[in-house]
Amino acid sequence: MGPSAPLLFFFFLSWTGPLQGQQHHLVEYMERRLAALEERLAQCQDQSSRHAAELRDFKNKMLPLLEVAEKEREALRTEADTISGRVDRLEREVDYLETQNPALPCVELDEKVTGGPGVKGKGRRNEKYDMVTDCGYTISQVRSMKILKRFGGPSGLWTKDPLGPAEKIYVLDGTQNDTAFVFPRLRDFTLAMAARKASRIRVPFPWVGTGQLVYGGFLYYARRPPGGPGGDGELENTLQLIKFHLANRTVVDSSVFPAEKLIPPYRLTVDTYIDLAADEEGLWAVYATQDDDRHLCLAKLDPQTLDTEQQWDTPCPRENAEAAFVICGTLYVVYNTRPASRARIQCSFDASGALAPERAALSYFPRRYGAHASLRYNPRERQLYAWDDGYQIVYKLEMRKKEEEV
């Protein structure tokens, strides 16, 4: 082998000695770690077994309770269905009773004593209106309703032009605004993103309240002039009527409404001072003044010049009134309560005198508990377009001749 072989063998032995010691320590370390892991696994297994046992006990306790709860739920559902059936039957009976016994007309104490409206503070003509058409219909009942959608705020107006395109929809949101939405057809208005389908028309002066009217291609509305209601100028408690051409987008006429000391005609719709209406006869205005703060007044307007042709003091009270509309020269006033309940037509006034108060059908609206911010009658369709807390509603009317018995 050579003289260096013993040296190499001695070096190898001296180098492998420490290596064997390190391996021994590593094995001992691994054994301790494995023992610790086995102990933890045993603990986890014990805990899992304990939790599984607790879960089984909990399940055994809950199953009877769940069975009892399911039985009670079925009992409550059956009871709720029974109550719902009773409520529906009761509402049908109430509807029948309301049809057989309509709401009592609003009569003031001095009317009972004297046989007519109370003494007014300011004399008016109060002459019978001469009909210009052969329209002789009155409301028999508000037959049905259809909720179209919810658009805008709690107060507003939506309508059609009774003399214009049959499909076009006009929406005026809010009680002090200057932008109207125009939809080409009703289907576009009912879409989810309806505002994108609408064209916008901006008027030069913001309107007041919800008494606006679209008629013959024009927007008629009341404007608060400087010093108008709420102000302290010369025109305090007066309003200016605006006639706005919707196609040309220009003001074609304006006139200060010829009534002083105006107050809201409806106690439940305090933002409206003049409520414009259209029927088969033309243009009307419902208002009230401080001279008689208990009753509504009615005026017939010339749609061409905005002149007031006739005025009447009506026996219809302002108290609890929320809206009104005109059909064939007859004013129908809608009443409600606060908080809102079921609206009802409880007072009517025929300017021509053809419809006696005892022949007028005083009816309730279909089952819906809300408040009408505006009502617009469409003589072409014989429907009402209502704004109820942001919901747009259509009411269908059933008509009869004024001479027929109720």
Side-chain angles (χ1 to χ4, degrees):
M1 289 177 57
S4 61
L7 294 174
L8 291 173
F9 181 74
F10 177 77
F11 175 77
F12 177 76
L13 291 177
S14 63
W15 181 76
T16 56
L19 182 60
Q20 292 177 352
Q22 291 179 358
Q23 291 178 348
H24 179 72
H25 290 301
L26 179 61
V27 171
E28 291 180 351
Y29 173 76
M30 294 297 296
E31 290 177 350
R32 289 195 301 269
R33 295 297 297 172
L34 289 173
L37 289 175
E38 289 177 354
E39 184 179 357
R40 291 184 179 180
L41 288 174
Q43 292 178 357
C44 290
Q45 187 174 1
D46 293 340
Q47 291 178 357
S48 298
S49 300
R50 186 169 63 253
H51 291 162
E54 293 176 354
L55 184 60
R56 284 193 299 270
D57 294 339
F58 179 75
K59 181 180 178 180
N60 294 332
K61 292 179 181 179
M62 291 301 299
L63 283 176
L65 297 178
L66 290 175
E67 292 177 358
V68 173
E70 181 66 21
K71 292 179 180 179
E72 291 181 353
R73 186 173 71 88
E74 290 298 329
L76 288 175
R77 178 184 296 177
T78 303
E79 186 177 356
D81 292 340
T82 303
I83 293 176
S84 178
R86 291 178 179 176
V87 170
D88 290 339
R89 185 167 60 253
L90 180 61
E91 287 184 341
R92 288 194 299 268
E93 292 175 355
V94 169
D95 288 342
Y96 174 78
L97 291 176
E98 289 171 353
T99 303
Q100 300 299 318
N101 302 286
L104 295 176
C106 295
V107 180
E108 298 292 335
L109 180 62
D110 50 7
E111 294 181 37
K112 296 179 180 179
V113 176
T114 63
V119 179
K120 309 296 180 181
K122 182 179 179 180
R124 291 183 174 87
R125 294 172 60 181
N126 287 322
E127 298 178 358
K128 287 187 177 181
Y129 172 71
D130 294 328
M131 302 284 289
V132 297
T133 68
D134 58 355
C135 182
Y137 291 94
T138 182
I139 293 179
S140 175
Q141 65 174 336
V142 184
R143 188 173 60 186
S144 63
M145 74 172 183
K146 182 178 181 180
I147 302 176
L148 269 297
K149 67 175 304 176
R150 187 169 190 175
F151 182 94
S155 297
L157 164 77
W158 80 298
T159 185
K160 289 183 178 181
D161 186 348
L163 303 181
E167 293 294 325
K168 190 171 290 187
I169 299 293
Y170 299 87
V171 179
L172 291 82
D173 183 23
T175 58
Q176 295 188 36
N177 204 343
D178 62 356
T179 303
F181 295 90
V182 183
F183 298 87
R185 59 187 62 86
L186 184 62
R187 182 179 60 185
D188 296 326
F189 176 60
T190 58
L191 296 175
M193 305 298 291
R196 296 182 179 180
K197 294 287 185 179
S199 59
R200 290 171 172 81
I201 298 178
R202 188 171 182 178
V203 296
F205 312 107
W207 58 73
V208 176
T210 57
Q212 303 79 252
L213 179 69
V214 178
Y215 186 74
F218 298 92
L219 172 63
Y220 298 84
Y221 69 95
R223 171 211 176 194
R224 177 181 288 114
D232 55 0
E234 295 181 357
L235 298 179
E236 182 181 4
N237 295 333
T238 63
L239 285 177
Q240 184 180 18
L241 294 181
I242 302 294
K243 182 180 180 182
F244 181 80
H245 198 293
L246 291 169
N248 299 336
R249 304 194 178 189
T250 57
V251 175
V252 297
D253 205 350
S254 64
S255 174
V256 175
F257 190 72
E260 300 177 352
K261 301 178 182 179
L262 286 171
I263 56 177
Y266 315 126
R267 287 284 179 87
L268 300 183
T269 312
V270 296
D271 294 318
T272 299
Y273 283 81
I274 298 177
D275 194 13
L276 300 174
D279 71 342
E280 296 80 359
E281 292 291 307
L283 187 61
W284 305 80
V286 183
Y287 64 100
T289 68
Q290 295 180 10
D291 292 335
D292 181 5
D293 60 358
R294 294 186 303 164
H295 299 90
L296 301 181
C297 299
L298 179 66
K300 182 68 173 66
L301 305 180
D302 185 342
Q304 300 298 325
T305 63
L306 298 180
D307 291 338
T308 301
E309 297 176 346
Q310 285 184 256
Q311 293 176 311
W312 296 268
D313 297 313
T314 78
C316 298
R318 292 175 59 230
E319 190 68 29
N320 292 328
E322 68 174 9
F325 54 93
V326 181
I327 298 178
C328 293
T330 301
L331 173 68
Y332 299 90
V333 186
V334 179
Y335 294 85
N336 210 320
T337 58
R338 185 172 292 164
S341 61
R342 204 170 162 192
R344 60 202 180 276
I345 301 173
Q346 198 168 334
C347 186
S348 61
F349 172 77
D350 187 358
S352 67
L355 180 65
E358 60 272 12
R359 290 180 177 269
L362 308 178
S363 60
Y364 283 77
F365 279 71
R367 293 192 299 268
R368 176 172 172 80
Y369 299 92
H372 296 108
S374 63
L375 288 169
R376 287 295 172 270
Y377 171 65
N378 189 305
R380 177 190 293 165
E381 303 171 346
R382 290 186 177 178
Q383 295 186 146
L384 288 176
Y385 289 79
W387 191 291
D388 184 349
D389 194 23
Y391 289 94
Q392 288 72 49
I393 302 175
V394 176
Y395 293 105
K396 291 186 178 181
L397 304 177
E398 185 174 312
M399 313 296 284
R400 63 174 177 83
K401 286 288 187 179
K402 290 183 178 181
E403 296 80 11
E404 295 180 9
E405 293 290 341
V406 179

